[in-house]
């Protein structure tokens, strides 16, 4: 099991990184998107708008799952964090489309543009919903990349649905193996932490989401740092697009689901990436444990990076992702 040395410069300005990422994205010309996928009974609608294809897949229990599908080449499927949408992967999807990969972003049930179905907000349904999209698009030799809750979803998908379809997996600041403290997980967070999240969400979801985005998620509460208004507003926008019930139920899904056996069963090369200043998912109970449970795992720890490093440190994270994907 290989372990890499910590990488990245924790002293790089978050504002400089984001501004640089914006300039890069403006200079990128996304290649033409492949059109035409085999139709199945699962599809409700499919619309092509110039350089992107998007559609909805209906699951067995009636959830309508939104996806977007850009570019041509080896497919990369992105699984987003709570309570966001596939828009949180915009920077990575543009980057990989520019590097001639086919990129697929999925909005989890109850999140983003997927339907606000009442039930099924658990890892089993999340993984099955992803499988429905993958099967509809007939994807093979895929790379799955999951952030935070999306890392749990991706791990369960690969373990239970990905046999013969998946070539690699990336877990970014991901929740596996399990977050909540228990006799079997004495280093976890007390259940009272997650009860507090539920209480705050039920009392005033809009303000609660603003507090998370403007403070711990991106490390904007650290000395010398200040919130980037556009980043905070975009996080809040994505969160408020989704269902309050899906977000409420999702707290149990991301905190109490034990993914230990899923990790043990995964044999494809897996990269575990996390910042050591992650205030949302403590890295000692996440990436450091993941790489011990995986059969073929590699660990990358980033000094000083926050939970939302995909956005504020994209100039470091994206090339590392590309190196792993190509390697």
């Amino acid at each position: 099991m290989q372990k890499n040395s910590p990488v990245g410069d924790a002293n790089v300005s978050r504002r400089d990184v984001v501004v640089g990422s914006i300039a890069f994205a403006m200079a990128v010309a996304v290649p033409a998107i492949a059109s035409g996928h085999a139709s199945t009974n699962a599809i409700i609608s499919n619309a092509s708008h110039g350089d992107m294809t998007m559609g909805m897949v209906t699951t067995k229990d009636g959830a309508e799952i939104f996806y977007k599908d850009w570019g041509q080449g080896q497919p990369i499927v992105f699984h987003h964090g709570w309570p966001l949408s596939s828009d949180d992967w915009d920077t990575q999807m543009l980057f990989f489309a520019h590097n001639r990969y086919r990129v697929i972003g999925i909005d989890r049930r109850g999140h983003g543009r997927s339907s606000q179905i009442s039930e099924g907000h658990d890892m089993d349904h999340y993984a099955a919903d992803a499988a429905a999209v993958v099967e509809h698009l007939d994807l093979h030799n895929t790379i799955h990349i999951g952030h935070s809750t999306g890392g749990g979803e991706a791990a369960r998908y690969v373990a239970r649905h990905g046999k013969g379809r998946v070539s690699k997996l990336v877990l970014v600041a991901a929740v596996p193996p399990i977050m909540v403290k228990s006799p079997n997980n004495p280093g976890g967070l007390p259940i009272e932490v997650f009860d507090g999240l539920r209480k705050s969400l039920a009392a005033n979801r809009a303000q609660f989401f603003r507090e998370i985005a403007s403070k711990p998620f991106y490390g904007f509460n650290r000395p010398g740092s200040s919130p980037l208004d556009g980043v905070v507003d975009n996080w809040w926008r994505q969160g408020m697009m989704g269902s309050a019930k899906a977000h409420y139920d999702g707290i149990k899904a991301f905190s109490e689901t034990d993914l230990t056996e899923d990790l043990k069963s995964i044999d494809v090369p897996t990269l575990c990436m996390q910042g050591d200043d992650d205030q949302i998912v403590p890295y000692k109970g996440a990436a450091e444990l993941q790489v011990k449970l995986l059969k073929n795992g590699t660990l990358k720890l980033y000094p000083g990076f926050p939970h939302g490093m995909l956005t504020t440190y994209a100039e470091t994270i994206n090339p590392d992702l590309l190196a792993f994907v190509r390697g």
Side-chain angles (χ1 to χ4, degrees):
M1 185 179 299
Q2 179 184 359
K3 292 189 178 181
N4 291 356
S5 299
V7 297
D9 183 356
N11 296 316
V12 176
S13 165
R14 289 171 170 81
R15 189 174 300 273
D16 290 345
V17 170
V18 172
V19 170
S21 297
I22 293 170
F24 167 80
M26 290 175 67
V28 168
V30 181
I33 303 305
S35 62
H37 300 296
S39 62
T40 72
N41 292 331
I43 194 69
I44 287 185
S45 62
N46 196 48
S48 180
H49 300 282
D51 63 350
M52 87 161 50
T53 300
M54 57 188 177
M56 302 286 284
V57 170
T58 300
T59 65
K60 292 179 180 178
D61 67 340
E64 298 176 358
I65 306 299
F66 172 89
Y67 70 87
K68 49 190 173 185
D69 178 6
W70 307 344
Q72 302 180 54
Q74 184 178 12
I76 303 177
V77 180
F78 293 89
H79 305 257
H80 65 80
W82 176 97
L84 305 173
S85 74
S86 58
D87 290 355
D88 202 46
W89 289 108
D90 280 353
T91 302
Q92 284 70 42
M93 290 183 69
L94 286 170
F95 176 82
F96 277 99
H98 177 65
N99 280 280
R100 304 193 182 285
Y101 287 87
R102 179 180 176 185
V103 293
I104 298 94
I106 304 171
D107 286 5
R108 186 173 303 119
R109 64 170 56 206
H111 295 63
R113 288 140 295 204
S114 291
S115 65
Q116 296 198 9
I117 190 169
S118 176
E119 305 303 328
H121 304 294
D122 54 70
M123 286 295 176
D124 286 349
H125 281 87
Y126 296 166
D129 293 349
V133 175
V134 169
E135 290 166 11
H136 166 67
L137 297 176
D138 195 26
L139 303 178
H140 296 273
N141 192 30
T142 55
I143 297 154
H144 286 258
I145 305 180
H147 175 240
S148 195
T149 300
E153 174 187 307
R156 179 139 293 181
Y157 167 80
V158 173
R160 300 194 179 184
H161 303 275
K163 190 69 172 178
R165 288 185 181 267
V166 178
S167 64
K168 292 182 180 179
L169 171 65
V170 182
L171 302 177
V172 184
V175 298
I178 186 171
M179 291 190 69
V180 73
K181 183 176 182 179
S182 71
N184 293 329
N185 185 40
L189 298 173
I191 189 65
E192 289 78 14
V193 171
F194 305 106
D195 288 342
L197 297 180
R198 282 182 277 263
K199 182 178 179 180
S200 296
L201 188 149
N204 190 334
R205 181 171 64 134
Q207 185 58 36
F208 175 51
F209 283 0
R210 180 72 65 181
E211 291 293 317
I212 294 174
S214 64
K215 294 177 181 176
F217 197 91
Y218 297 107
F220 290 148
N221 57 342
R222 293 308 196 200
S225 182
S226 59
L228 295 167
D229 291 342
V231 170
V232 173
D233 289 349
N234 189 44
W235 198 100
W236 186 90
R237 173 191 69 84
Q238 292 179 69
M240 295 306 293
M241 286 172 66
S243 156
K245 187 174 190 303
H247 296 158
Y248 188 95
D249 292 352
I251 294 170
K252 179 179 180 67
F254 74 64
S255 64
E256 298 182 44
T257 304
D258 191 344
L259 294 152
T260 301
E261 295 305 316
D262 299 82
L263 293 176
K264 288 180 179 180
S265 72
I266 294 170
D267 56 9
V268 298
T270 303
L271 175 62
C272 306
M273 314 171 78
Q274 193 162 10
D276 70 1
D277 194 31
D278 190 327
Q279 300 174 67
I280 305 297
V281 179
Y283 76 96
K284 289 186 178 295
E288 286 195 347
L289 291 183
Q290 292 158 18
V291 77
K292 293 177 181 178
L293 294 167
L294 290 158
K295 295 175 181 177
N296 191 3
T298 299
L299 175 66
K300 275 187 176 290
L301 283 178
Y302 296 83
F305 281 22
H307 190 66
M309 63 184 186
L310 287 163
T311 299
T312 51
Y313 289 102
E315 288 189 346
T316 296
I317 301 301
N318 287 356
D320 288 350
L321 286 170
L322 182 61
F324 175 75
V325 166
R326 286 179 170 170

